Amino acid sequence: MPRIVKHPEDRRSELLDCAQALFFEHGYEGTTISDVIAKAGISKGGFYHHFASKEALLEALAARLAHEAVAKVRDVLDDPTLGALDRLNSFLARSRQTNLEDAPKLRAAFDVVFRPENIVLYHRVNAASIAVMLPVLAGIIAEGAAEGAFAVSAPEDAAETILHLGASAHDAWGRAIAVSGTAEEEAAIEALERRFQFLGLAVNRILGLPDGSVIFVEPGFMRAVMTAR
């Protein structure tokens, strides 16, 4: 049978498809590079042509998932009838819904990247996601500044700060995951809820808005994510 030669981007996408399926089914740590190679039907050299390590594979997968998340809210981003505040709240609401729907699968990755010993991997994955989300959020904030709805002089700086605020909850996430299924789980989830409610206050202050204008997260959302099965 003649060897099938695929375009490099098609082969890379195929590897990400295989990795995503395996990570969600067996977990990140339960999946080896050999498993991905076997599922994709590619040589070891072919794999390393695209990804230097399993960590790099996860990083690329995080970026792709972020791009897919943006694609799911494209109608909100392009809706000419929305003002910046409504656009931002719709964008956040749709993103929360997507995260909730995918929570059982995403936990396979969360359980790994939020471990203290994997802090470097977490920052790599988070940076890949932020790189995708930054121009989207900065665009909405710039729109709001132009409308006079947001009191922001540097939209990109504001967007980057907001995205990094989310990353600052790493320890609270890690704690909640670490004690999942134990007597300490309830208190850890409550602490995670409080952290995100506080981050919501910070987002409104950054944008120069009254408290509650931007709904960063609804009460009970973090609990729903943490207990999704």
Side-chain angles (χ1 to χ4, degrees):
M1 180 180 295
R3 179 171 174 268
I4 299 174
V5 179
K6 296 187 177 182
H7 188 279
E9 281 304 312
D10 291 338
R11 179 64 79 183
R12 187 177 190 275
S13 181
E14 184 179 49
L15 284 167
L16 288 170
D17 289 340
C18 294
Q20 181 172 327
L22 290 167
F23 289 167
F24 285 170
E25 182 178 357
H26 303 294
Y28 176 77
E29 291 192 331
T31 300
T32 66
I33 288 177
S34 295
D35 293 332
V36 178
I37 288 171
K39 188 173 182 65
I42 193 173
S43 68
K44 183 177 290 188
F47 174 89
Y48 284 109
H49 174 74
H50 296 282
F51 302 104
S53 63
K54 191 169 76 164
E55 291 81 5
L57 184 63
L58 182 60
E59 186 178 2
L61 183 57
R64 188 171 77 162
L65 291 172
H67 279 294
E68 290 174 354
V70 171
K72 290 178 181 178
V73 297
R74 179 51 61 188
D75 60 322
V76 169
L77 298 175
D78 294 341
D79 188 341
T81 68
L82 294 177
L85 180 56
D86 288 338
R87 194 182 313 283
L88 179 56
N89 274 322
S90 296
F91 169 72
L92 292 172
R94 189 82 66 81
S95 297
R96 287 193 299 270
Q97 183 60 37
T98 297
N99 287 338
L100 188 57
E101 291 170 356
D102 291 340
K105 296 177 180 179
L106 294 175
R107 277 296 300 270
F110 284 5
D111 288 352
V112 173
V113 297
F114 283 105
R115 291 180 186 171
E117 64 269 24
N118 289 334
I119 186 67
V120 173
L121 177 60
Y122 168 79
H123 284 302
R124 287 179 60 179
V125 168
N126 189 60
S129 179
I130 285 179
V132 176
M133 291 297 182
L134 179 57
V136 176
L137 183 55
I140 296 174
I141 295 175
E143 177 188 8
E147 292 174 356
F150 302 158
V152 176
S153 59
E156 187 166 339
D157 290 341
E160 188 168 6
T161 299
I162 289 170
L163 290 169
H164 281 290
L165 278 177
S168 74
H170 172 274
D171 290 348
W173 269 114
R175 172 66 177 166
I177 289 171
V179 301
S180 181
T182 73
E184 300 174 67
E185 180 180 33
E186 182 64 23
I189 291 177
E190 289 179 0
L192 187 61
E193 290 270 9
R194 286 195 303 273
R195 174 67 66 85
F196 273 84
Q197 290 298 323
F198 185 80
L199 293 180
L201 292 175
V203 170
N204 282 285
R205 303 293 172 82
I206 289 170
L207 299 179
L209 296 170
D211 293 349
S213 299
V214 174
I215 304 171
F216 191 63
V217 64
E218 302 104 329
F221 174 76
M222 305 311 300
R223 181 182 304 279
V225 170
M226 288 301 304
T227 57
R229 296 291 184 268

